[in-house]
Amino acid sequence: MSGRPGRPTEPDDLRRDRRAIHKPADLGTELRAARASATDPRQAIADVAAAYMAFAEQRSALYDAMFTHTVDLPFASTGTPAALREAFAELCEPLRPHAGDDDLETFAETFWSGLHGLLTLMRNGRLRHEEHERRLELLVGRFSR
């Protein structure tokens, strides 16, 4: 628990849950801007991937609160907060032309898993940092076929 003088204290996990509920709107806005600025469908995927990575690197504590720490939030369900659903929709949209017969949400979850895995492994020193851009190119290439 932490707090300021004269204010009630709040458990760290509750503060983390609140950030995780409200801040995905920031991520969604950044993903939407990246997608909108792309000149073609493949570039949209690359730009959204780059925006996702930049958000995670520049706002690492917030990213961790949203996607790494355990939070009491429903994901992938009807109870998912609107900001989380909207951010996920921005991840889905550039993938739509490439999903083919695959379920779009499953396709996008797999792409998101790839982004998150690359990011997490690199941040924890498990991947060579100098190959980061190449790995992103490979991931984008596989999902833009």
Side-chain angles (χ1 to χ4, degrees):
M1 287 207 190
S2 64
R4 295 183 198 141
R7 299 188 82 193
T9 59
E10 183 176 72
D12 288 341
D13 58 341
L14 181 57
R15 280 198 323 278
R16 192 170 31 247
D17 285 0
R18 286 186 179 151
R19 282 194 311 262
I21 289 171
H22 298 293
K23 290 303 184 175
D26 296 350
L27 175 59
T29 299
E30 292 181 30
L31 297 179
R32 186 177 310 108
R35 181 175 56 84
S37 68
T39 56
D40 63 64
R42 185 186 190 289
Q43 191 61 48
I45 296 173
D47 290 354
V48 164
Y52 181 90
M53 291 298 201
F55 181 91
E57 290 173 7
Q58 294 164 6
R59 302 172 79 179
S60 60
L62 176 57
Y63 179 86
D64 288 345
M66 290 166 51
F67 300 120
T68 302
H69 298 302
T70 301
V71 293
D72 188 25
L73 290 173
F75 280 78
S77 75
T78 56
T80 302
L84 284 170
R85 285 193 319 270
E86 290 165 12
F88 184 69
E90 290 302 328
L91 198 59
C92 287
E93 203 50 43
L95 295 167
R96 183 178 302 280
H98 307 282
D101 293 334
D102 291 323
D103 175 72
L104 177 60
E105 289 186 3
T106 303
F107 192 69
E109 287 169 342
T110 306
F111 181 67
W112 176 32
S113 298
L115 290 173
H116 180 74
L118 289 174
L119 175 74
T120 302
L121 290 167
M122 189 179 69
R123 283 172 65 190
N124 292 326
R126 295 337 189 258
L127 298 175
R128 298 166 291 155
H129 195 300
E130 64 274 6
E131 293 298 318
H132 175 67
E133 292 301 319
R134 180 65 188 130
R135 285 190 297 274
L136 271 182
E137 289 172 14
L138 287 168
L139 184 67
V140 167
R142 296 299 189 260
F143 280 87
S144 61
R145 291 181 175 171

